[in-house]
Amino acid sequence: MPNDIVTVEPDDSLKTWGWISYILHLVVAVGAVLPGAQASIGLLLIALVIDLVKRDDAAGTWQASHFSWRIRSVLWAGVLYVLTSWLWLLFLVPGWIAWALISLWFLYRIVKGMVRMNAGRSMEPSNVV
């Protein structure tokens, strides 16, 4: 039947790519939170490209949700940074506070994803906040 769910076993390379992406995201997230430890936006773009390219390979596996989770995390953080960038132009302290909160939220999402991936669990929207 066309509506049947087919479970596909992921290959080990998907998990390896997932870990590479999570580590790159983690480096960027920690660099965003710690003053003076700024990581390159290039690392974030490399991780995002990995996720975009490998997401289709992970379709039907529990790891597919991790690729989507990382992509959504980057896109939402980017949107939030852009929306709050005007605070830097008008007021230094509110801009710093807003970006610190966004950076902590991004770090939280990356660590949460790493913990769930290590446990072999998906990032399903119904059971993940």
Side-chain angles (χ1 to χ4, degrees):
M1 298 178 87
N3 292 334
D4 288 343
I5 296 175
V6 177
T7 303
V8 178
E9 289 298 319
D11 61 19
D12 289 335
S13 70
L14 284 176
K15 195 168 188 178
T16 302
W17 282 113
W19 278 114
I20 290 169
S21 179
Y22 268 127
I23 289 169
L24 291 173
H25 280 90
L26 183 65
V27 168
V28 171
V30 169
V33 172
L34 297 177
Q38 296 299 318
S40 170
I41 193 157
L43 292 178
L44 187 63
L45 292 176
I46 291 169
L48 185 60
V49 167
I50 288 170
D51 291 335
L52 290 170
V53 168
K54 290 296 186 179
R55 180 175 51 176
D56 289 340
D57 294 344
T61 69
W62 64 270
Q63 292 174 356
S65 64
H66 285 274
F67 286 96
S68 295
W69 177 262
R70 289 186 302 264
I71 291 167
R72 282 193 317 269
S73 297
V74 170
L75 294 178
W76 272 111
V79 166
L80 291 172
Y81 282 131
V82 168
L83 289 176
T84 59
S85 63
W86 65 272
L87 291 172
W88 283 101
L89 300 173
L90 299 176
F91 314 102
L92 181 63
V93 174
W96 180 83
I97 291 170
W99 282 29
L101 291 174
I102 296 166
S103 298
L104 286 171
W105 171 82
F106 183 69
L107 178 62
Y108 165 78
R109 283 185 60 98
I110 297 306
V111 171
K112 183 173 187 154
M114 291 176 86
V115 168
R116 291 181 69 86
M117 186 164 148
N118 190 50
R121 296 168 55 198
S122 68
M123 300 299 293
E124 295 300 322
S126 61
N127 62 8
V128 177
V129 177

